Amino acid sequence: EKLAVQSVLYICPVCTMSLPKSDIYMHIQECLLKELDVEPLMVSVTMIHTLNRDKTVVSNCVNILGKYLQNIIDHPDEEKYRKICKSNKTFTNKVANTSGSLEFLSKGIGFELQKLPREINGETKEDDFYILNRELAENTEQLIVAKQMLEEAEPLEVLLDRNMKLFEPSIRANKIELPSNFFSVTS
């Protein structure tokens, strides 16, 4: 059976390629990763807002990252505010698991991953930390812009590909078959 339309397609807002809904967000992620080195701050912020479909996850991540940035803006000379422990429970649960957040920290802001000694239950062990160097921390104007971008960004929207086709009048016109998901009501 030959369908008039093979599937419902959506347009990638980055490159305008048309893909089924099951593939579109993976494709958007690939497109954004290709652009990450060109415009790291903007693209990483866009990744956070677009690739995470749960608004609560995005909100939690943005709030925590915003607090990190605000602490650095308020205290650029204090080393403790320029360090984020990778194994910190809040960081692990609300930031690290959010698509785009690590790209935001490393490429967008300039944090570097380093091993540092850390005292845990009286023992000194090495742990991974994201560290922002003093020079970048003192550029508070850039950090304010990054925080504002992070808080005000909107997700990229995928659009329905109308995939318009013109059918010539014929006897077979009454026999046009469409896939069942063609009729699914979506937002």
Side-chain angles (χ1 to χ4, degrees), residues 150-165:
L150 182 66
E151 292 171 346
E152 295 176 3
E154 294 288 329
L156 297 177
E157 295 294 328
V158 295
L159 300 173
L160 181 65
D161 183 356
R162 294 293 174 188
N163 195 16
M164 302 209 9
K165 293 185 178 189

Side-chain angles (χ1 to χ4, degrees), residues 7 17 44 74 78 84 89 92 118 120 122 130 146 153 159 165 170:
S7 67
M17 181 182 273
S44 61
D74 294 342
E78 290 190 45
I84 302 168
K89 187 177 179 182
T92 303
R118 177 176 176 217
I120 304 169
Y130 284 95
L159 300 173
K165 293 185 178 189
S170 75

Side-chain angles (χ1 to χ4, degrees), residues 91-110:
F91 178 79
T92 303
N93 293 339
K94 295 186 177 183
V95 177
N97 293 332
T98 307
S99 295
S101 62
L102 300 181
E103 290 84 353
F104 174 79
L105 286 172
S106 60
K107 294 191 183 272
I109 302 297

Side-chain angles (χ1 to χ4, degrees), residues 2-53:
K2 184 166 172 62
L3 300 173
V5 177
Q6 296 305 314
S7 67
V8 178
L9 301 176
Y10 294 84
I11 301 169
C12 172
V14 180
C15 73
T16 69
M17 181 182 273
S18 294
L19 294 161
K21 191 153 196 166
S22 60
D23 300 335
I24 194 72
Y25 287 101
M26 184 63 78
H27 177 77
I28 292 171
Q29 182 175 8
E30 291 169 8
C31 287
L32 290 172
L33 285 171
K34 288 177 189 172
E35 299 294 320
L36 189 59
D37 289 331
V38 177
E39 192 65 49
L41 181 59
M42 184 186 72
V43 171
S44 61
V45 166
T46 302
M47 289 173 74
I48 291 170
H49 286 274
T50 303
L51 301 178
N52 301 287
R53 304 309 300 153

Side-chain angles (χ1 to χ4, degrees), residues 99-187:
S99 295
S101 62
L102 300 181
E103 290 84 353
F104 174 79
L105 286 172
S106 60
K107 294 191 183 272
I109 302 297
F111 279 85
E112 294 177 5
L113 193 59
Q114 297 176 13
K115 285 200 177 294
L116 295 175
R118 177 176 176 217
E119 192 168 312
I120 304 169
N121 300 330
E123 280 187 58
T124 302
K125 296 182 179 180
E126 288 216 333
D127 210 344
D128 289 327
F129 283 83
Y130 284 95
I131 309 287
L132 186 65
N133 71 43
R134 184 183 297 268
E135 186 179 316
L136 291 173
E138 288 174 351
N139 188 353
T140 54
E141 192 174 295
Q142 179 63 27
L143 295 175
I144 291 169
V145 168
K147 182 176 183 256
Q148 186 175 0
M149 284 177 69
L150 182 66
E151 292 171 346
E152 295 176 3
E154 294 288 329
L156 297 177
E157 295 294 328
V158 295
L159 300 173
L160 181 65
D161 183 356
R162 294 293 174 188
N163 195 16
M164 302 209 9
K165 293 185 178 189
L166 178 63
F167 294 97
E168 297 290 327
S170 75
I171 296 170
R172 293 182 12 196
N174 292 335
K175 297 180 182 178
I176 293 176
E177 296 289 328
L178 297 167
S180 60
N181 69 350
F182 185 84
F183 299 101
S184 299
V185 178
T186 63
S187 60

